[in-house]
Each structure stands twice: as C-alpha cells, then as structure tokens.
C-alpha cells in the first residue's frame, strides 16, 4: 500500500487499486477526531484530492456565520426549520413562545459554541414547575436549535445530548362529574349556546375537528372526521381548514341516540355544522368564548334557582359546574364511554388515538367500575 502526504490529509493507494484521500474535518462530540475519505481510480490520486477541495468549497458556501448567539440562531432556526415546513400554525406559535420566554432568557446571550450540558440542565431545573407538555416543547426546541447548530458548524457538540427534564407524575384526566353532567344536560336546551357543549360531550371531538365538520360528514348515525381547523402562521388568531385531523387518518365517530338527536335538530343554514359568521366555519376561538359564556350563564342560573328554593343550611353552597375547558368535554366522553363499555379499543377508535397508550389515561374510571364488580365476588 503506497502512502504519501498530500496537503492537509494523507493519500493511500488501497489493495483494490483505488486511491483514498483521508482528511480530518473536525472533532466528534466524544472528543475524537472526525475523518472523511475521498476515492479515485486515476494514476496519482489527484482526483481524490480534488473531490475533497470541491466538497470543502460546497460546504463553505453553505456555512453560516459561526459566531452566533443562541438568541440569534434560535430566531433563524424558527424561520428556517419550522415556519412553513410542515409545522402547524399553532405549533409554530408555541415554539416561538417557548423559545422567547423560556430559553432565550436563560442562555440567549451565550455563543452557540459556549453552551454546555450544565446550562441545559439549569434550564430544566428553572422551568421544572411547568407542565409536562410545556417541558416537552422546551426540550424539542433546545434539541432542534442545537442539532441544527451542529450541522451548520455553529458548535462542535450538541449540549442537549443525554439531558431531559424531570417529568411530573401523570395525572388522571379531569372531567365533569355525574352531578355536573346532570346540571349541564338539564340546562343545555334552555341556552342558545348549549349545543356547543353538547356537540363535544356526545362526540368526544377535538374542538378543531368540530369546527371543520360539514353536513356532508354526517350520515344520520356517524360523523366522518377528516378535517381540522388549524391556525395559520400569520399574526393573530386566523384559521384555515386542514385535511386530516391529528393522527393522520380519517375516522368515523359512531353517535348514540342522544348524539343523533342533537344533530337532527340543529338548523342547516350553512354547509358547516357549527357555522360562524356569514358563510364561514366557526373558529375555535369563537367556539371557546361562546362555550365559556354558556358555563357562566349555567352557574348564574343554578345560583338563582338555589336562592329561590330557600331553607339552606348555614354552610351550604349553591351547586356549581366547574369551568372546564372544551377539551375536558373530550375527556368526559372518553371516561364515561370506557366506564360503560369496558372496551379500550372502542374508545381508541372513537377518539382517534393512534396509540392505545394514549387511550389508557381513561382506565382510571374503568378501574372504579371494576372495583364495584369485583366486590360482588362470592365463593
């Protein structure tokens, strides 16, 4: 095997007759040298060297200014790698919020190459009180920023490797109690916006899925869910209809008799089942506002009825329905459906979960029912 020094690397002629030009191009995250080889079959090996020169020139043309702070590269990462690259408008805005409020304040002034694992761990400790969902956004942003920074030669190692937040213990989903459900269902027919709460409680839909429903999606007993009202990348709360909801697969939601009765009595004044102003669909933000106003009117009505009844104990309080978010209607549906049918697959299909592990958060209610059933065991 012939060997010769040739510029910054070493040139070898291999046993198969090819020339190999091996050159050090950097340092791995482990601290070991990082080498790259270039091959040719000419007489002198000059073509292998030329391949390296061409590769180096192309890389240099793509090279981004290496002296960047975390703040400046984070902004570039958001616009280059996230905006308009398959990331939904809602998720993109969340990325921006977590970068601006939870990452840049900690390490924004540091140069990309100066950030170490200790800095990342400190961020996770400082933000430990946030929810698991928020911590996961921070983790995704940090990894995206530094992995892309490494590829663009802004740092020699990825400080997010082998780091992760301390996750909080998972909680059972919050949902309406049976007493609250009785008050809800009793008041719904008396309120102009009651159908909005009813539409979520009897279908288990995400609010964006409900907003995107048209009358063509309803066949008298099922709903075809294949669109979602998603945020745009523009400033403000603007939405568009996006094909296929979260989970990437259309699904059919089977309605029970009460659910069918709801959709049969809704007016068909628009192609949209939950219509907004004019001929457009109702935006998720408008849906939420009207839903919350409905809960407020419900509680005001419950309090007024309680006062009229009189003869209350001194420490007695009027009935009250918690102001749970519209998404908690989905949790309510999933919890009571599993409690009634004891079939995890049915709940998974109805809710459109791609993984059964997601549906398993509702097994808390099923366990309660099973405890009652097991208490009847007799030998």
């Amino acid at each position: 095997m012939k060997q010769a020094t040739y510029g910054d690397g070493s040139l070898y002629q291999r046993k198969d007759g090819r020339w190999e030009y091996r050159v050090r191009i950097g340092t791995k995250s482990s601290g070991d040298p990082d080498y790259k080889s270039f091959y040719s079959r000419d007489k002198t090996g000059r073509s292998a060297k030329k391949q390296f020169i061409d590769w180096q020139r192309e890389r240099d043309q793509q090279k981004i200014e290496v002296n960047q702070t975390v703040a400046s590269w984070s902004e570039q990462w958001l616009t280059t790698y996230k905006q308009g690259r398959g990331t939904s408008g809602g998720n993109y805005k969340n990325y921006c919020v977590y970068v601006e409020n939870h990452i840049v304040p900690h390490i924004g002034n540091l140069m990309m190459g100066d950030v170490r694992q200790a800095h990342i761990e400190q961020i996770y400790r400082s933000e430990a009180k946030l929810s698991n969902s928020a911590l996961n956004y921070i983790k995704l942003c940090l990894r995206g920023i530094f992995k892309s920074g490494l590829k663009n030669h802004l740092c020699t190692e990825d400080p997010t490797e082998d780091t992760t937040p301390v996750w909080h213990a998972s909680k059972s989903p919050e949902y309406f109690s049976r007493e609250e459900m009785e008050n809800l269902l009793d008041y719904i027919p008396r309120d102009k916006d009651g159908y909005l709460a009813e539409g979520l409680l009897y279908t288990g839909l995400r609010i964006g899925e409900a907003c995107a429903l048209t009358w063509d999606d309803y066949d008298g007993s099922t709903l075809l869910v294949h669109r979602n009202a998603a945020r745009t990348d523009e400033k403000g709360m603007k939405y568009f209809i996006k094909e296929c909801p979260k989970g990437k697969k259309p699904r059919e939601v089977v309605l029970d008799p009460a659910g069918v009765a709801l959709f049969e009595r809704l007016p068909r004044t628009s192609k949209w089942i939950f219509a907004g102003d004019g001929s457009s669909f109702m935006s998720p933000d408008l849906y939420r506002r009207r839903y919350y106003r409905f809960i407020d009117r419900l509680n005001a009505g419950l309090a007024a009825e309680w006062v009229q009844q009189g003869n209350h104990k001194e420490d007695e309080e009027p009935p009250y329905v918690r102001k749970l978010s519209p998404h908690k209607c989905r949790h309510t549906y999933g919890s009571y459906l599993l409690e009634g049918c004891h079939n995890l697959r049915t709940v998974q299909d109805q809710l459109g979960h791609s993984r059964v592990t997601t549906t398993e958060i509702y097994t808390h209610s099923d366990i309660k029912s099973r405890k009652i059933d097991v208490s009847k065991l007799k030998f």
Side-chain angles (χ1 to χ4, degrees):
M1 178 182 295
K2 296 180 182 180
Q3 177 177 351
T5 58
Y6 205 104
D8 298 324
S10 297
L11 187 65
Y12 301 86
Q13 188 171 30
R14 297 161 52 95
K15 291 181 179 179
D16 60 5
R18 290 186 301 165
W19 288 93
E20 177 183 356
Y21 181 68
R22 191 166 184 261
V23 62
R24 180 172 176 172
I25 60 172
T27 304
K28 296 180 180 178
S29 58
S30 62
D32 297 329
D34 190 10
Y35 291 96
K36 187 173 181 66
S37 293
F38 301 85
Y39 303 93
S40 70
R41 288 188 177 276
D42 58 342
K43 293 182 178 180
T44 62
R46 289 180 180 273
S47 294
K49 172 67 173 179
K50 185 178 183 303
Q51 287 180 41
F52 163 67
I53 294 173
D54 292 341
W55 172 83
Q56 192 175 43
R57 185 182 296 114
E58 182 180 354
R59 187 184 68 168
D60 289 342
Q61 288 174 349
Q62 297 174 348
K63 218 170 189 179
I64 297 174
E65 174 57 50
V66 295
N67 295 318
Q68 287 206 47
T69 63
V70 174
S72 64
W73 177 246
S74 297
E75 183 177 350
Q76 193 165 349
W77 172 74
L78 285 167
T79 56
T80 303
Y81 291 90
K82 289 300 172 186
Q83 190 173 26
R85 294 288 298 275
T87 303
S88 69
N91 275 336
Y92 175 71
K93 290 178 181 179
N94 286 337
Y95 285 132
C96 293
V97 167
Y98 286 106
V99 167
E100 180 180 350
N101 297 336
H102 302 282
I103 294 177
V104 169
H106 292 289
I107 58 175
N109 292 329
L110 293 177
M111 306 304 293
M112 285 288 292
D114 292 337
V115 180
R116 299 291 180 264
Q117 283 188 347
H119 295 113
I120 305 301
E121 293 289 358
Q122 182 59 46
I123 292 175
Y124 289 145
R125 283 196 295 271
S126 299
E127 306 291 347
K129 292 183 179 179
L130 295 177
S131 67
N132 282 347
S133 176
L135 289 171
N136 192 51
Y137 264 110
I138 293 174
K139 176 183 175 181
L140 290 173
C141 290
L142 284 169
R143 291 198 169 176
I145 290 166
F146 285 99
K147 284 184 181 297
S148 60
L150 185 62
K151 290 181 179 179
N152 287 286
H153 318 293
L154 304 181
C155 48
T156 58
E157 60 181 18
D158 179 3
T160 67
E161 286 188 357
D162 303 320
T163 62
T164 190
V166 177
W167 306 109
H168 306 297
S170 59
K171 298 179 181 179
S172 296
E174 196 174 14
Y175 61 101
F176 290 114
S177 67
R178 289 198 176 278
E179 181 181 357
E180 288 174 319
M181 283 299 299
E182 290 178 4
N183 286 324
L184 279 164
L185 297 178
D186 178 65
Y187 188 75
I188 279 173
R190 294 182 273 160
D191 190 277
K192 62 178 183 178
D193 292 327
Y195 75 99
L196 298 176
E198 195 176 11
L200 299 178
L201 289 168
Y202 280 120
T203 63
L205 295 180
R206 303 175 180 95
I207 191 169
E209 295 171 343
C211 292
L213 285 175
T214 69
W215 285 110
D216 289 338
D217 300 324
Y218 172 66
D219 68 358
S221 61
T222 63
L223 294 170
L224 179 63
V225 183
H226 59 107
R227 287 184 295 265
N228 184 49
R231 284 186 190 176
T232 67
D233 291 340
E234 301 175 36
K235 290 184 178 180
M237 297 299 185
K238 297 182 180 180
Y239 291 85
F240 71 103
I241 298 300
K242 181 179 180 180
E243 285 296 323
C244 283
K246 187 178 177 182
K248 308 299 182 183
K249 287 174 58 178
R251 74 181 189 277
E252 283 189 317
V253 174
V254 179
L255 300 173
D256 73 338
V260 171
L262 162 66
F263 287 96
E264 288 297 327
R265 71 171 182 268
L266 289 179
R268 303 196 181 197
T269 56
S270 166
K271 78 170 188 176
W272 307 102
I273 293 180
F274 299 101
D277 298 329
S279 60
S280 181
F281 61 93
M282 184 181 298
S283 73
D285 293 312
L286 177 59
Y287 199 119
R288 287 188 189 92
R289 288 197 298 271
R290 292 176 60 177
Y291 165 87
Y292 283 129
R293 286 199 287 263
F294 158 74
I295 297 292
D296 289 337
R297 291 192 294 270
L298 163 60
N299 283 318
L302 290 173
E305 290 177 3
W306 182 81
V307 170
Q308 290 177 356
Q309 291 171 359
N311 299 324
H312 302 296
K313 296 179 181 179
E314 186 175 342
D315 59 346
E316 188 177 352
E317 294 183 356
Y320 179 78
V321 174
R322 290 168 297 163
K323 203 170 182 178
L324 300 183
S325 70
H327 197 74
K328 298 300 188 296
C329 292
R330 178 174 167 84
H331 290 329
T332 301
Y333 178 87
S335 297
Y336 287 119
L337 179 60
L338 184 59
E339 186 177 319
C341 72
H342 304 285
N343 189 325
L344 203 61
R345 182 56 187 271
T346 295
V347 180
Q348 179 186 2
D349 290 343
Q350 287 287 99
L351 295 179
H353 291 154
S354 56
R355 295 186 300 271
V356 73
T357 52
T358 306
T359 316
E360 286 173 351
I361 64 171
Y362 300 110
T363 56
H364 66 95
S365 59
D366 193 38
I367 288 174
K368 291 179 182 178
S369 299
R370 284 161 53 195
K371 285 182 178 179
I372 296 174
D373 292 340
V374 171
S375 67
K376 301 174 184 177
L377 174 66
K378 293 182 180 180
F379 289 110

